[in-house]
Amino acid sequence: MAGTVEAKLAELGLPLPAVVPPLASYQPAVQSGVYVYTSGQLPMVDGKLAVTGKVGAEVTADEAKELAKTCALNALAAVKSVAGDLDRIARVVKVVGFVASAADFTGQPGVINGASELLGEVLGDKGVHARSAVGVAVLPLDAPVEVEIQVELTGA
């Protein structure tokens, strides 16, 4: 049975996806104490990257912002895979976003807003977090965006 977080996602027309299987030797998420740390999540939809390329070249900033939202959804799926229920999220502590950027692209914070805004919309005050938005030369599979999150869980 879906909890209130998943009900909010459904209300927004965003069903929680299946956990993206690892592309290498790692776990999608791990729990340590009351914290869950996700691995970097790519904008995978049905097992495939939605778009490839550099932001500011082949991919627009607006497209990349939507892809960051997809990454955040995949991160929530990874959290659920170890926490069991997204309603256990006490707060999102940190979001780290990587943007594969053309040499002159400097809008990384706006791109990662896609992830931050989704977390805020779905989790309310629990979705407010610290964040880093980093421009990089290339990401796995030529993905334009990658997002990882750290969340604190309630004890229940």
Side-chain angles (χ1 to χ4, degrees), residues 50-91:
V51 178
T52 60
K54 305 284 183 287
V55 181
E58 301 87 4
V59 180
T60 69
D62 287 340
E63 289 171 322
K65 183 177 178 181
E66 283 299 308
L67 295 170
K69 181 177 173 180
T70 301
C71 293
L73 279 170
N74 289 337
L76 287 173
V79 168
K80 182 180 178 184
S81 75
V82 296
D85 184 349
L86 292 177
D87 288 348
R88 289 189 61 209
I89 295 174
R91 77 166 306 148

Side-chain angles (χ1 to χ4, degrees), residues 13-25:
L14 301 167
L16 193 67
V19 177
V20 176
L23 301 173
S25 183

Side-chain angles (χ1 to χ4, degrees), residues 90-141:
R91 77 166 306 148
V92 177
V93 177
K94 177 88 184 223
V95 171
V96 180
F98 302 95
V99 181
S101 304
D104 61 346
F105 183 75
T106 60
Q108 292 83 5
V111 168
I112 302 306
N113 277 349
S116 294
E117 291 168 4
L118 173 82
L119 294 168
E121 192 170 8
V122 171
L123 297 166
D125 289 343
K126 295 176 184 181
V128 177
H129 53 268
R131 187 182 88 181
S132 299
V134 182
V136 298
V138 68
L139 288 168
L141 305 178

